[in-house]
Amino acid sequence: MNSNTNFQKIMDETLMVIENENEQGKDVPKLLLHSCCAPCSSYVLEYLTKYFEITILFYNPNISEETEYTKRVNELKRLINEIPVKHSVTFMEGEYSPQEYFRAIKGLEHLGERSERCYACYKLRMDYTARIAKKNGFDYFTTTLSISPHKNADWINEIGQQLSDEYEISYLYADFKKKNGYKRSIELSKEYHLYRQDFCGCVYSKAEEEKRKRERLEQ
């Protein structure tokens, strides 16, 4: 994987195959979609429910504050109930265990955003998703994380490929920010009045966002 890989093209090719199979009467494939929040899920659901029966998995032990965690869960459930879809969408909640996050990033705490600390966080959440997908007989797994302009799509898809090989389950390559995906997620967030957080979820991203706010005020 490198920065020149067109993940959108890879996904388009996969979706074309699935669409052709559906037209031939094959069962609709089942996708386990890891979600970080409702806003990021909005466009992804609008896009992918034409091709898959989707189960959204909310597994985000990086969220350090329980009130923030609960708010995101509730917003995601509300979105699922309100957004129109072609195929079924169901909700699954993973274990909320912040200690798992701190264990995963041990020794990387001092690093900033978009660093190895974030890579370890992606891998923690995606590994959990792949294991659940394999255990429950899903056809594919993927994550909404690549829709954010702050997330490294190369890393996300590299991890997805590694986990696909390890657990022998298909990974849906994606860079959901493409095709104006991020822009569309903002539009859908306004349409459904979704809560849009201003930090990733961990204590470090929150501290860095608060620092940026202070600096803007001082300018």
Side-chain angles (χ1 to χ4, degrees), residues 89-140:
V89 178
T90 55
F91 177 81
M92 180 188 298
E93 186 173 354
E95 182 182 358
Y96 179 49
S97 51
Q99 66 272 17
E100 290 295 325
Y101 167 72
F102 290 112
R103 206 162 16 239
I105 59 129
K106 188 173 178 59
L108 306 172
E109 298 90 341
H110 64 290
L111 300 178
E113 287 188 83
R114 308 185 194 187
S115 67
E116 289 178 48
R117 189 188 71 213
C118 296
Y119 187 97
C121 181
Y122 301 162
K123 190 167 185 178
L124 170 67
R125 291 184 279 173
M126 291 177 69
D127 182 87
Y128 185 94
T129 304
R131 285 187 284 113
I132 293 294
K134 180 66 175 181
K135 179 180 178 182
N136 290 277
F138 285 87
D139 300 297
Y140 292 85

Side-chain angles (χ1 to χ4, degrees), residues 92-197:
M92 180 188 298
E93 186 173 354
E95 182 182 358
Y96 179 49
S97 51
Q99 66 272 17
E100 290 295 325
Y101 167 72
F102 290 112
R103 206 162 16 239
I105 59 129
K106 188 173 178 59
L108 306 172
E109 298 90 341
H110 64 290
L111 300 178
E113 287 188 83
R114 308 185 194 187
S115 67
E116 289 178 48
R117 189 188 71 213
C118 296
Y119 187 97
C121 181
Y122 301 162
K123 190 167 185 178
L124 170 67
R125 291 184 279 173
M126 291 177 69
D127 182 87
Y128 185 94
T129 304
R131 285 187 284 113
I132 293 294
K134 180 66 175 181
K135 179 180 178 182
N136 290 277
F138 285 87
D139 300 297
Y140 292 85
F141 76 99
T142 196
T143 176
T144 63
L145 287 170
S146 67
I147 198 170
S148 169
H150 303 296
K151 301 291 188 292
N152 187 317
D154 289 338
W155 285 357
I156 292 165
N157 286 283
E158 175 186 289
I159 293 167
Q161 182 181 53
Q162 292 169 358
L163 296 173
S164 177
D165 293 340
E166 180 178 352
Y167 295 112
E168 298 181 335
I169 182 170
S170 296
Y171 169 71
L172 184 67
Y173 291 91
D175 188 354
F176 290 116
K177 69 179 69 66
K178 301 297 185 180
K179 289 188 172 180
N180 289 317
Y182 178 67
K183 179 183 176 184
R184 180 59 179 155
S185 74
I186 294 173
E187 293 170 353
L188 288 167
S189 296
K190 291 178 180 177
E191 181 178 341
Y192 290 96
H193 308 289
L194 297 176
Y195 161 65
R196 288 184 64 86
Q197 64 281 350

Side-chain angles (χ1 to χ4, degrees), residues 36-54:
C36 53
C37 62
C40 290
S41 301
S42 58
Y43 166 73
V44 179
L45 286 178
E46 182 181 68
Y47 187 13
L48 294 185
T49 54
K50 297 189 289 290
Y51 307 96
F52 298 97
E53 291 181 359
I54 296 177

